[in-house]
Amino acid sequence: MSVINQSDGAKRCLNANATLEVDEACFSILNEFNRSVTFYSRFSECYRCDDVPQATLLPGVNTTLLISTKYPLYIFYKDVYNNCHQTFNFKEHGYYGWNISEENPCPEIYTIREPINSYLPIFAAFMVFVLLTMSFTIGRAIVRVLKGKLSPDNIHNDMEEILQEEEASNSNLVRTNRSSTRIRSIDTFRGIAVLLMIFANNGGGKYTFFNHSAWNGLTVADLVLPWFAWIMGLSITISKRSELRVTNSRGKIILRCLLRALILVLLGLMINSQSHFINTRSLKDLRFPGVLQLLAVSYFVCATIETLFMKTYSQDDVLQFGRFTILRDILNNWPQWLIILAIMTTHTLITFLLPVPNCPTGYLGPGGYNEFGKYYNCTGGAAGYIDRLVFGSHMYSKTNNSVYGTILPHDPEGIMNTMSMILVVYMGVHAGKILLLYYQCNAKVVRWLLWSCITGIIAGSLCQFEKESGLIPVSKKMMSLSFIMTASCFAFLLYAILHILVDNKQYWSGAPFIYAGLNPITLYVGHYLTMGLFPWAWKLSHSTHWSLLAMNLWTTTLWGVIAYWLYLKNIIISV
């Protein structure tokens, strides 16, 4: 709902000592008509929605409302004689007025009290981190000079790092020295994903772009899970190649993959059993799907496919100097691609052809206010219907959407969304194939950038490069094909950049993200188990973007420090 509370809003807005919360503003409407009119509003983010009646404006009365500034607001009033429509971007803690009358039935909204700059905390936090980084870098350089330990430039060897990464991946508890033998760009990418995930999960300062989209669209928070899955896929290529070098039993490798998947599922269920996810700890309330469960299933499927069909080094060399050398990363793996395409074809056919009771076939929306309330109980279409049928009460139970109102339960990590994530993981697997098969940096980077362009064009074609248009809109909630392609596009691009900066040119060590990338599951599970506990977080007496952003950044930084401590202790814990 766009208006939070009319009576309470009037008291807080008119009380000079009262303080507004995050994303709140005051809106006073003076009705100078000699009759009552009804005031309606909705977020402009709400696509094809009916307007919701918010208040009755009595004649000659100044009605004060407390409204949300999360998204631009579409407002209007109507009666027998007049109606007025406006879209206005209210700012946080501002006080606005609107005077409607016979002489001026559709006036401009004016500002009574100036709003605050809600984005200033982001700039301040950015400057603080820049200064800290510069200070740390300069301090380290001074210490090195004083100790006489400035190291000469090292000659970089990609294949040597890959072989070292393979050996390191065979142990559940690996102790390394401080000059890690792993591929640094992989750990840096993984660290970026997990730290962003921790920041977003803790609230992201309550900024909309640091939180998940209401339904369609794309934010920073929407990208972190598919990025984590993508880099997991890249690691599968390296680890399975290593395991096949030391054993001929593909069955044993698959069993190890199954064991790892089961451990991830158990960790995910443990996270879901926490009291801030369910009202009680009984099994009837336990959510079965989850982030780690989704990662476990997609990992097991892709790792099993790779184990069954991956070729040895000698077999890979068959096409190395032939006519199709430029395509050997694809041609060597056509059976895997056929299976992945079959899974995605099945997903697409179910999405658009499965009959859902009282809902249109192929519906991908949130239900609720969407489509003017015609499909109120169709949340998630076929994907939502399958999850509710299979899991019942054992799924994500949140039914209050800030934009679309009350919707049916829909699990963002449900069965159909897990099928979509398999494609993301395999995109990462293919990126790993490129890393292994091509020796020159340019050959790798060009192919990653080409895949970035291809997936980006496919995503744009599916959604017509618009938020709410096209055959398949970009939706993290649905893990739609256009969203999967968009996330893969950015993943290929980001990894290509990191490979150049961290591995090839060595302009950047990957710090501080590389430390988090060494123990991602440990950090992910740990941040959930400690969520809301001191010293990671504390209860705020008055929430503002300043205080929330500071606390969320502190939480993320503290986990980064813990990751660095694990690195100093030479401990890498993998599931």
Side-chain angles (χ1 to χ4, degrees), residues 134-438:
M134 291 175 60
S135 301
F136 180 74
T137 304
I138 295 172
R140 264 181 50 169
I142 292 173
V143 170
R144 284 172 132 187
V145 170
L146 293 176
K147 290 185 176 182
K149 291 185 177 181
L150 283 174
S151 60
D153 293 335
N154 296 318
I155 298 175
H156 185 68
N157 189 321
D158 280 344
M159 290 309 297
E160 194 172 336
E161 270 197 354
I162 290 170
L163 293 176
Q164 292 170 337
E165 170 81 355
E166 291 175 357
E167 294 172 2
S169 65
N170 288 328
S171 173
N172 285 337
L173 180 61
V174 183
R175 293 190 179 273
T176 66
N177 55 39
R178 296 186 185 181
S179 56
S180 177
T181 58
R182 299 158 63 96
I183 301 178
R184 302 179 71 84
S185 60
I186 295 178
D187 288 326
T188 303
F189 189 109
R190 192 185 290 119
I192 291 172
V194 74
L195 288 180
L196 279 176
M197 199 178 295
I198 291 172
F199 176 66
N201 287 346
N202 279 279
K206 281 202 174 180
Y207 289 100
T208 54
F209 41 82
F210 289 144
N211 283 269
H212 294 298
S213 303
W215 198 262
N216 292 337
L218 192 69
T219 66
V220 175
D222 292 334
L223 290 172
V224 292
L225 176 57
W227 279 2
F228 193 89
W230 188 92
I231 200 66
M232 180 178 70
L234 194 151
S235 300
I236 286 174
T237 304
I238 297 172
S239 62
K240 297 310 137 193
R241 173 67 64 88
S242 171
E243 292 178 42
L244 285 173
R245 287 175 62 232
V246 298
T247 180
N248 291 323
S249 176
R250 297 180 186 247
K252 289 182 179 179
I253 297 175
I254 292 175
L255 285 176
R256 283 198 292 269
C257 294
L258 178 60
L259 178 61
R260 186 186 187 201
L262 290 175
I263 293 173
L264 287 174
V265 169
L266 289 175
L267 289 173
L269 292 174
M270 180 179 69
I271 289 173
N272 287 354
S273 69
Q274 289 186 276
S275 57
H276 52 262
F277 288 103
I278 58 176
N279 295 325
T280 67
R281 295 180 184 272
S282 63
L283 289 177
K284 69 174 184 175
D285 301 312
L286 182 63
R287 178 192 176 202
F288 290 165
V291 169
L292 291 183
Q293 294 90 314
L294 175 142
L295 292 173
V297 174
S298 55
Y299 163 81
F300 178 71
V301 171
C302 291
T304 300
I305 293 172
E306 275 303 290
T307 302
L308 291 174
F309 294 101
M310 179 179 276
K311 299 178 181 179
T312 62
Y313 279 117
S314 58
Q315 290 172 316
D316 285 340
D317 290 340
V318 172
L319 292 172
Q320 188 167 351
F321 300 105
R323 181 182 300 176
F324 302 104
T325 299
I326 194 172
L327 297 175
R328 67 179 182 269
D329 56 309
I330 300 175
L331 297 178
N332 278 355
N333 304 287
W334 63 267
Q336 295 98 307
W337 273 113
L338 284 180
I339 295 173
I340 297 299
L341 292 175
I343 292 173
M344 291 312 300
T345 301
T346 302
H347 177 277
T348 304
L349 291 175
I350 293 174
T351 299
F352 287 98
L353 299 180
L354 180 71
V356 178
N358 303 315
C359 297
T361 304
Y363 180 70
L364 300 173
Y369 299 146
N370 182 240
E371 294 297 336
F372 308 108
K374 288 168 57 180
Y375 310 128
Y376 191 84
N377 292 322
C378 298
T379 303
Y385 174 69
I386 291 172
D387 288 341
R388 290 188 291 272
L389 196 64
V390 173
F391 297 119
S393 62
H394 299 285
M395 60 181 290
Y396 194 68
S397 59
K398 185 177 179 181
T399 57
N400 181 31
N401 187 288
S402 61
V403 171
Y404 291 100
T406 302
I407 61 175
L408 291 184
H410 168 263
D411 206 300
E413 284 82 43
I415 295 173
M416 294 287 285
N417 289 7
T418 301
M419 290 178 67
S420 295
M421 193 57 68
I422 290 172
L423 178 58
V424 178
V425 176
Y426 199 77
M427 287 285 186
V429 169
H430 191 78
K433 299 290 181 66
I434 294 172
L435 184 66
L436 288 173
L437 285 173
Y438 299 95

Side-chain angles (χ1 to χ4, degrees), residues 518-538:
L518 294 172
N519 289 285
I521 298 299
T522 303
L523 267 61
Y524 181 81
V525 174
H527 101 273
Y528 265 119
L529 296 180
T530 59
M531 189 174 286
L533 301 179
F534 186 83
W536 289 273
W538 49 89

